[in-house]
Amino acid sequence: MSEWKTVIGLEVHAEMETESKMFSRCPVVDSVEAEPNTAVDPLSLGMPGTLPVINMRAMEYGIMVGLALNCHIPPVNQFARKNYFYPDLPKGYQISQYDRPLAVNGYINIEVDDGTTKQIRVRRAHMEEDTGKLTHAMGGSLVDYNRAGVPLLEIVSEPDIASAAEAEAYARKLRSILRYLGVNSGDMSKGILRFEANVSVMPAGDTELRERTEIKNLNSIRNMVKAIDYEVQRQIQLYGSGATVKPATLGWDETAQKITVQRYKERADEYRYFPEPDLPLIEVSREWVEDLRGRLPALPDELQRRFIDELKLSAYDAAVLTAERSVAAYFQEIIDNGVDAKIASNWITTDLFRMMNARDIERESIDALPISAKDFAGLLTLVQTGAINQSTARKKVLPEMWNTGKTARQIVDEQGLAQISDPEVIGAAVEKAIADNQDLVQRLLDGNDKVINALFGRVMAELRGKADPSLARKSLQSKIDSMK
Ligand code: ADP
Ligand code: MG
């Protein structure tokens, strides 16, 4: 038995970034930046006698996520107590949802290797409260309750994910949707978004799932991919050596680049869930659902389809341009200013992204660049109308726009960069290049056709790169032809 297939289900915890906590008016603060235990109240501290009140904004965010993930929103959902003792949970139970979650049976589309789309089913999404944060230090443990009670949406997939690459695609797509909705920044390093991967393997022909392990503490998508790859190999080796895989909670040790076992699990529900007696059932009317559906922005899949169908972009370019809402908006503004979609797409995904990468600027910050979408459109319009040529635009005008914040028009006027299309001027430059480079001309006439490119380079240099390249090439070619 040599062929194994991988089975993965992802459990995702996404904080809903509301002003206040899930069950009280206590403010939500940045749990990394803020002083510990400064955003707490009797409720977050689990004081006896306090009573929870539902944050309806968080419920709305959760339902919007459910809708964006193509879920059914049941007419009633309900909170439940999940009982366990741990110092990050002062009440001794977490208010969560159990058998009546707010969203069920959805899916996320991902693109797989062969370029096709695959649906990964979303089993459920339920609302709960986040716990406090423990820091193990100085021979003890420190606890910060700022995070305790922050609205947290758990999104659980079916085990439909067949590789680490698919898990990555799912994670990126889900993160993108949450960011489009504006309910979660997607910041994994701060734990605002957290992924847990359930992993098992089985012989390729089998249909019965085998025991799984669960990997926690994944602080980036890249680490998640590495951890899954590692865990898949570990399980295959275990089976290969005649051993079995025991259900366990695992962690990814970033320094050692390996999986560590945190604890072996009993496969039992030891949480003693029961309906939360301090909170009412939540009835979700169809009017409410439709109102929320109407408030959803155009989501990445929809934009991507539009970019492919209407603007004739490739699936790849469309995916790149829609991964971030701000990038899609930047692109859209450029084409709204009359620039051809293909040209805009090429310049954004190559030249602009290259400049951003070189300066470590995230794609999502595209709307804060020194070059606004409108100014970028101005540059591309000059290229499109032939007022400047591509290489002048790329090598001179674009960097100057970035550095000075000036418009393309200003720079072209100030530096005299307008494209030269006058046949006489170009003809003179051709004559000069030929006169100055007799050796090249001779090799060309001797049959070395490629030398024409070197000669063309000289012509362009004569005109400081500003000549209309196709006119210059034609003029050079006909001059050479007349010499043969
Ligand atoms: P629990 O209720 O114990 O958390 P679930 O059955 O709800 O377990 O599954 C939790 C996650 O594990 C889901 O994302 C699910 O898709 C995934 N999962 C379940 N069984 C397997 C398996 N054999 N291999 C990989 N993932 C699995
Ligand atoms: Mg679970």
Side-chain angles (χ1 to χ4, degrees):
M1 189 163 53
S2 56
E3 285 291 308
W4 293 88
K5 66 180 173 193
T6 300
V7 180
I8 301 165
L10 290 182
E11 288 173 276
V12 181
H13 285 93
E15 285 184 358
M16 295 291 101
E17 297 191 80
T18 49
E19 304 263 305
S20 57
K21 292 190 178 178
M22 189 63 221
F23 299 115
S24 75
R25 291 173 135 167
C26 183
V28 172
V29 295
D30 185 316
S31 68
V32 173
E33 304 291 326
E35 280 290 304
N37 299 307
T38 49
V40 291
D41 67 346
L43 215 106
S44 349
L45 296 175
M47 299 290 183
T50 52
L51 285 172
V53 177
I54 297 170
N55 177 342
M56 291 312 276
R57 175 62 61 82
M59 294 303 287
E60 294 201 336
Y61 281 3
I63 294 170
M64 286 169 85
V65 174
L67 290 172
L69 303 183
N70 311 293
C71 289
H72 168 62
I73 309 298
V76 175
N77 65 71
Q78 184 175 33
F79 285 99
R81 285 192 187 178
K82 180 179 182 179
N83 299 282
Y84 66 97
F85 177 75
Y86 205 60
D88 62 5
L89 190 65
K91 292 196 299 295
Y93 61 87
Q94 180 187 29
I95 303 180
S96 181
Q97 295 190 314
Y98 185 53
D99 47 3
R100 307 178 95 171
L102 62 74
V104 296
N105 298 339
Y107 63 88
I108 293 180
N109 287 323
I110 61 167
E111 255 123 69
V112 289
D113 272 348
D114 61 2
T116 59
T117 300
K118 175 174 174 182
Q119 272 187 10
I120 307 295
R121 288 170 300 157
V122 171
R123 181 183 295 173
R124 55 184 275 148
H126 69 253
M127 189 59 78
E128 58 190 26
E129 54 179 338
D130 210 343
T131 59
K133 214 165 54 173
L134 289 178
T135 306
H136 305 287
M138 300 179 282
S141 293
L142 304 168
V143 63
D144 175 8
Y145 289 117
N146 283 349
R147 208 181 65 179
V150 171
L152 192 64
L153 190 71
E154 178 169 342
I155 302 154
V156 183
S157 86
E158 293 293 345
D160 290 348
I161 300 166
S163 66
E166 288 187 16
E168 171 170 9
Y170 177 94
R172 291 201 186 283
K173 190 56 155 301
L174 177 53
R175 182 176 182 276
S176 167
I177 291 170
L178 294 171
R179 287 178 48 79
Y180 264 72
L181 294 173
V183 300
N184 181 291
S185 67
D187 192 336
M188 291 180 70
S189 66
K190 284 188 175 170
I192 289 169
L193 182 62
R194 315 197 279 271
F195 289 88
E196 291 164 23
N198 294 270
V199 179
S200 67
V201 299
M202 61 176 165
D206 275 19
T207 49
E208 199 173 324
L209 296 179
R210 294 201 172 187
E211 286 292 1
R212 64 187 156 99
T213 55
E214 183 172 352
I215 316 173
K216 294 186 184 273
N217 291 353
L218 300 167
N219 61 4
S220 69
I221 290 176
R222 194 168 307 155
N223 279 337
M224 181 184 79
V225 169
K226 285 194 212 164
I228 291 172
D229 279 334
Y230 187 100
E231 175 58 10
V232 166
Q233 289 313 314
R234 192 186 71 95
Q235 291 190 12
I236 291 173
Q237 269 165 26
L238 277 173
Y239 287 126
S241 70
T244 56
V245 171
K246 273 185 281 179
T249 303
L250 311 174
W252 176 246
D253 181 339
E254 204 181 339
T255 330
Q257 292 284 301
K258 67 186 190 77
I259 289 282
T260 56
V261 177
Q262 294 182 340
R263 65 190 164 97
Y264 288 101
K265 278 203 186 185
E266 309 296 319
R267 174 111 346 279
D269 264 336
E270 64 280 352
Y271 295 122
R272 300 289 185 271
Y273 279 101
F274 64 85
E276 168 58 61
D278 291 338
L279 290 172
L281 290 172
I282 295 117
E283 288 186 36
V284 186
S285 73
R286 297 306 89 181
E287 292 73 39
W288 192 20
V289 172
E290 289 320 307
D291 175 51
L292 292 172
R293 197 192 301 281
R295 279 155 54 188
L296 296 178
L299 292 164
D301 278 352
E302 184 189 332
L303 282 183
Q304 194 184 347
R305 206 168 315 115
R306 207 189 285 163
F307 287 0
I308 294 170
D309 293 348
E310 293 172 17
L311 304 176
K312 310 296 173 211
L313 297 187
S314 70
Y316 179 80
D317 286 345
V320 170
L321 291 171
T322 54
E324 281 294 337
R325 191 178 180 176
S326 53
V327 173
Y330 192 93
F331 168 74
Q332 185 70 48
E333 190 177 341
I334 292 175
I335 60 172
D336 287 347
N337 274 277
V339 176
D340 173 74
K342 194 76 206 160
I343 292 178
S345 159
N346 283 342
W347 279 77
I348 293 175
T349 57
T350 53
D351 298 86
L352 195 61
F353 282 176
R354 189 178 316 118
M355 292 173 91
M356 291 168 70
N357 289 346
R359 293 161 179 81
D360 262 334
I361 298 172
E362 303 277 354
R363 302 250 167 106
E364 66 205 46
S365 307
I366 196 167
D367 45 10
L369 297 184
I371 306 177
S372 68
K374 188 160 166 289
D375 286 351
F376 205 81
L379 171 71
L380 299 185
T381 302
L382 294 183
V383 174
Q384 221 168 253
T385 57
I388 54 175
N389 68 30
Q390 294 249 11
S391 96
T392 302
R394 180 167 285 125
K395 293 188 190 134
K396 295 188 177 153
V397 184
L398 183 59
E400 190 73 3
M401 288 172 77
W402 186 295
N403 294 334
T404 63
K406 290 180 183 170
T407 65
R409 177 89 269 165
Q410 272 176 299
I411 294 164
V412 169
D413 289 347
E414 281 170 16
Q415 303 190 13
L417 296 174
Q419 175 156 272
I420 297 169
S421 309
D422 182 338
E424 281 187 27
V425 179
I426 292 177
V430 167
E431 298 282 355
K432 180 146 194 317
I434 286 177
D436 291 353
N437 297 283
Q438 284 297 321
D439 49 334
L440 289 180
V441 175
Q442 196 50 56
R443 281 163 59 201
L444 187 54
L445 294 176
D446 288 347
N448 192 346
D449 290 343
K450 281 191 190 136
V451 173
I452 190 94
N453 292 325
L455 218 40
F456 172 72
R458 305 295 161 91
V459 174
M460 291 302 286
E462 269 317 311
L463 298 169
R464 288 179 51 221
K466 296 185 294 182
D468 176 326
S470 75
L471 290 184
R473 201 173 268 281
K474 267 192 218 131
S475 168
L476 174 64
Q477 190 67 58
S478 67
K479 183 73 196 168
I480 294 293
D481 289 346
S482 74
M483 293 167 75
K484 281 182 179 162

